[in-house]
Amino acid sequence: MTYQETDRAARTLSRPFGVRGLHVPNRIVMAPMTRQFSPGGVPGPDVAQYYARRAAAGVGLIVTEGTYVDHASAGTSDRVPRFHGDDALAGWSHVAEAVHRAGGKIIPQLWHVGVTRTPGAPPVPDAEPVSPSGLSLRGEPKGRAMTQQDLDDVVAAFATAAADAERLGFDGVELHGAHGYLVDQFLWSSTNRRTDAYGGDIASRTRFAAEIVAACRSAVSDSFPLFFRLSQWKMDNYEAKLAETAAELDTLLAPLAEAGVDAFHASTRRYWLPEFDGSDLNFAGWVKKISGRPTVTVGSVGLDGDFFNLFQGRGSGATGIGQLLDRLERDEFDLVAVGRALLADPEWAVKTLTGRTADITSPGGEALKTLH
């Protein structure tokens, strides 16, 4: 970076940001990334050190990896952390304390995998996969459709987890409503074929998500912010669209904002791609424009390839962030989530802010194998 580029990055990314009682010193967010380093679902000292290391190196806000809410069908691995049970909550309390000691802020991502659960898998092997209509992401029969009691139980599980997060000293929560997991399965017409109040048009398909948001909002204090992660794409369908137009996106977002979402985390694979024809706004830009809420952008920030390269054993090279700064300077979105780049180099934030980009370690497949 030249001096001018370094100064611009520092000036643009170092602006403070606040929502409700959360105040962060800069616009850099650590994106949630499943790591599976929590045996028995309990995050240990290594997990606390992993997050604290990034907080100490300049990340303004950390969003944890997805954590399972207290519902039998919520998870599909006994190495992904839970956000329930005395042992797991004690572990998360130590994580929050470590991040705060390092000068950072942290929010857990609350998660239910829905129909993507593998039958027979831990943490509850005999739990059947559940979803809106008993359909897989490909529209094939799998598991069972959720009853009203199921819906009420899941809503309550999210609300309890949100209250526990505040009690443990976290700075907010993020509700995982993206990527084809349970909440997103209700939003998506391909997996939601219900004929009751939770299915049908876009507004009806949003009801379950809005009930979760409202229950969480009621379970926490006014100063505790709620983030909501959403996406168009799914894990097995990169071209999927919840909303084909801005008008349809408005119909989707309005009930969520009204229910109490304070900020939307708009997930894309490549942040620089326009979401709808006729505008260069990306997904986060459109969500902010329509909802009036702050947004987090994400998607290959600082890298020249998308995240599937990493899972296929291929690395990605570091690239400039000039276009990202252009968009941030015109307030297209408010925060920038960084994933793989922070996985490979815990000091990505401070190196970017101080012009040491030549020293940034590019992510390779080995980054998935360790927790450092």
Side-chain angles (χ1 to χ4, degrees):
M1 276 190 180
T2 66
Y3 171 80
Q4 289 80 5
E5 291 169 331
T6 300
D7 181 66
R8 182 185 179 213
R11 184 176 64 251
T12 305
L13 290 169
S14 293
R15 292 177 297 164
F17 173 81
V19 57
R20 290 194 184 262
L22 171 65
H23 299 280
V24 294
N26 62 48
R27 302 303 178 101
I28 300 174
V29 176
M30 181 178 181
M33 291 173 284
T34 297
R35 302 308 314 279
Q36 300 201 62
F37 281 91
S38 297
V42 179
D46 56 341
V47 175
Q49 293 163 8
Y50 163 74
Y51 287 119
R53 191 172 294 119
R54 284 144 180 90
V59 173
L61 174 65
I62 290 169
V63 183
T64 75
E65 62 209 284
T67 68
Y68 298 147
V69 296
D70 189 9
H71 185 259
S73 300
T76 193
S77 169
D78 61 357
R79 293 188 60 82
V80 168
R82 295 176 271 116
F83 210 83
H84 62 89
D86 292 343
D87 51 355
L89 293 180
W92 279 119
S93 178
H94 295 318
V95 172
E97 290 170 359
V99 168
H100 290 154
R101 283 196 303 271
K105 300 294 178 71
I106 183 169
I107 64 177
Q109 186 189 72
L110 307 180
W111 187 23
H112 191 304
V113 303
V115 78
T116 65
R117 169 173 163 72
T118 301
V124 185
D126 60 353
E128 193 172 12
V130 297
S131 64
S133 304
L135 298 174
S136 72
L137 298 187
R138 297 182 181 275
E140 300 163 346
K142 181 180 178 182
R144 63 175 178 82
M146 296 174 72
T147 65
Q148 185 63 55
Q149 187 62 57
D150 293 325
L151 300 176
D152 294 343
D153 289 346
V154 171
V155 169
F158 272 92
T160 298
D164 283 338
E166 184 170 29
R167 177 175 58 83
L168 294 176
F170 282 86
D171 302 293
V173 295
E174 177 170 283
L175 310 176
H176 197 341
H179 304 161
Y181 296 114
L182 181 64
V183 176
D184 192 27
Q185 289 157 25
F186 274 84
L187 300 177
W188 197 23
S189 61
S190 294
T191 44
N192 186 345
R193 309 285 180 82
R194 298 176 73 98
T195 57
D196 62 5
Y198 294 92
D201 60 16
I202 296 177
S204 298
R205 297 198 305 270
T206 307
R207 178 175 178 174
F208 180 56
E211 287 185 357
I212 290 174
V213 173
C216 291
R217 183 74 270 155
S218 295
V220 299
S221 70
D222 287 344
S223 64
F224 198 72
L226 301 180
F227 287 65
F228 187 95
R229 197 176 210 207
L230 77 164
S231 68
Q232 298 264 43
W233 65 277
K234 319 302 170 193
M235 293 303 292
D236 67 343
N237 187 345
Y238 309 143
E239 305 306 318
K241 294 279 189 181
L242 291 177
E244 296 285 350
T245 66
E248 289 183 352
L249 185 59
D250 188 8
T251 303
L252 173 71
L253 294 173
L256 299 176
E258 183 178 353
V261 171
D262 296 302
F264 287 99
H265 189 167
S267 178
T268 54
R269 294 171 64 202
R270 303 175 181 92
Y271 77 85
W272 56 86
L273 296 181
E275 191 58 37
F276 300 120
D277 292 339
S279 169
D280 66 351
L281 287 178
N282 73 2
F283 190 38
W286 273 109
V287 171
K288 179 177 180 177
K289 179 179 180 179
I290 290 171
S291 70
R293 297 292 193 270
T295 57
V296 186
T297 198
V298 68
S300 301
V301 172
L303 299 174
D304 61 3
D306 67 33
F307 64 88
F308 295 101
N309 287 350
L310 186 62
F311 291 100
Q312 294 167 357
R314 303 194 305 269
S316 295
T319 64
I321 57 170
Q323 184 181 161
L324 181 77
L325 299 178
D326 291 341
R327 291 170 180 264
L328 192 57
E329 284 172 343
R330 60 178 182 252
D331 293 324
E332 181 175 335
F333 38 74
D334 301 275
L335 296 164
V336 175
V338 182
R340 290 165 297 143
L342 270 171
L343 199 64
D345 193 335
E347 296 186 334
W348 184 92
V350 68
K351 288 177 180 178
T352 298
L353 292 172
T354 58
R356 295 159 51 205
T357 54
D359 297 333
I360 290 175
T361 301
S362 297
E366 68 281 356
L368 290 177
K369 301 175 183 177
T370 60
L371 198 69
H372 69 92

